[in-house]
Amino acid sequence: MDGNDRNGRRETGDETVAKPTLRTIAEITGLAVTTVSRALGGAPQIALETRRKVRQVAEEIGYLPDRAAQRLRTGRTNVVTLVLDPHEEILGFSTSLIRGLTEALRDTSYHLVITPHFANVPSLDPVRHIMRNKMADGIVFSRTEPFDERVKLLIEHDFPFICHGRTELGTPHAYVDFDNFTFAYQATKRLIARGAKRLAIILPPRRFTFFQHVQYGFMSAVRESGVAFEIIEDVDLDSPATQIQASVFARMGEPSAPDGYVCGGEVSALAVMAAISDRGLRPGVDIGIVAKQTSGLFNLVRPQVDTIYEDIADAGLNMGRMLLAAIGGRNPADLHMLQAPQLNFVAPD
């Protein structure tokens, strides 16, 4: 039977092969054992080419680090966990974020682990579970609230983290956020420039910080221009697409219906476009739309409508890099970034 004996040798049935060790890699590469160890640990002091060479040799010979021993020796898990909060509105959010985080962790000793957060569970629970059980060296999460309990808990325990979104807490913390004020402001101004006279917007749920940013951007633009406006109250960006479609369809059958919509995500934009089409009108032509784009989906949607792009993969990349810096002792107050919207106005003026 294949397996490992007490001395760590791998038995293959016909022969016993010594389990690869750091010394094995050192002998193959001609490097010192300490250099090999630091290279596998992703030490920035070791040249990137050397780190890649060591990792390649480790993979070729089947070297597997003893993570239990590493944890006892260093006190670290070499794990970063993403607390994933699935939500329908942003298509591809999780895959894009994971792609960026994975790229940031490449050529380091860290691995990404996904911890799901279910809708019927308080958002604090998965974070508290990770901390108490020392399951990771750093935590990533999204959809922040102004006085987010997760952020307060992690700051209190000096536990490295980074969030996608800001808070209103007095203590600075690491974050990457999208400039939702500018998104809403530019989207509204675009609709006004194209002749819209009565604008409508579907906002995020009120409990999230970016609700305020989106609303403020929209209101700033309509007040500057003096156009009529309305905020759709019976649905938000977390509402099912069918519910958004039904709400907009019903409103379009009433007097003084909006002739321009700001949509903070791809799902809500598709729902609005469906309602417009079901009324026999042309989205982006008869009724204006500006949508926040987070994937390649709207490159294939016809008719084409104006979009403003949020690069989730780039956010993940920067979040990963900043979290590694926080784990390494960098002051969280220095670790923040506000992503600028990328205008993609394809509809004719």
Side-chain angles (χ1 to χ4, degrees), residues 4 7-10 17-21 24 62 64-66:
N4 292 338
N7 297 316
R9 292 186 294 270
R10 189 170 64 253
V17 180
K19 181 179 178 181
T21 65
T24 310
L64 294 174
D66 187 336

Side-chain angles (χ1 to χ4, degrees), residues 78-82 105 110-113 136-138 140 323-324 327:
N78 284 336
V79 168
V80 165
T81 188
L82 168 63
L105 300 180
Y110 277 89
H111 298 266
L112 182 66
V113 171
D137 298 331
V140 183
L323 181 58
L324 290 176
I327 293 171

